[in-house]
Amino acid sequence: IGLGSLGGYLAKNLSELETMKNLLLIDYDTVEQENIKNSIYSQRDIGKLKTEAILQKIDTSVFSFPISR
């Protein structure tokens, strides 16, 4: 799934499901100021790859496959 506004929240919620085993997280973008308002990201995420920033926000017991390039 992409990690924009909807995708970020979706990844977090899916990672919290007991039945979820794997997530494939794909986004080639970095977090920018305009991404903050309607998304799961915060000011300290600006400049990070979305795939790296989201891993700090989701349940890490789910095996995640982040792809950024």
Side-chain angles (χ1 to χ4, degrees):
I1 60 175
L3 300 173
S5 294
L6 180 60
Y9 286 112
L10 182 60
K12 182 175 184 334
N13 289 334
L14 287 173
S15 75
E16 294 171 355
L17 293 174
E18 290 182 25
T19 56
M20 183 58 61
K21 303 293 183 215
N22 299 302
L23 284 175
L24 178 59
L25 307 171
I26 302 174
D27 202 304
Y28 303 111
D29 203 3
T30 56
V31 179
E32 298 176 8
Q33 180 66 41
E34 56 266 14
N35 300 131
I36 304 300
K37 184 177 180 183
N38 297 316
S39 72
I40 196 168
Y41 305 108
S42 66
Q43 291 286 341
R44 64 190 136 140
D45 296 320
I46 293 174
K48 294 180 185 176
L49 291 170
K50 288 181 180 179
T51 50
E52 292 176 5
I54 200 71
L55 289 177
Q56 298 170 353
K57 300 178 183 316
I58 66 172
D59 183 347
T60 55
S61 66
V62 172
F63 193 68
S64 303
F65 302 93
I67 299 174
S68 57
R69 292 244 168 188

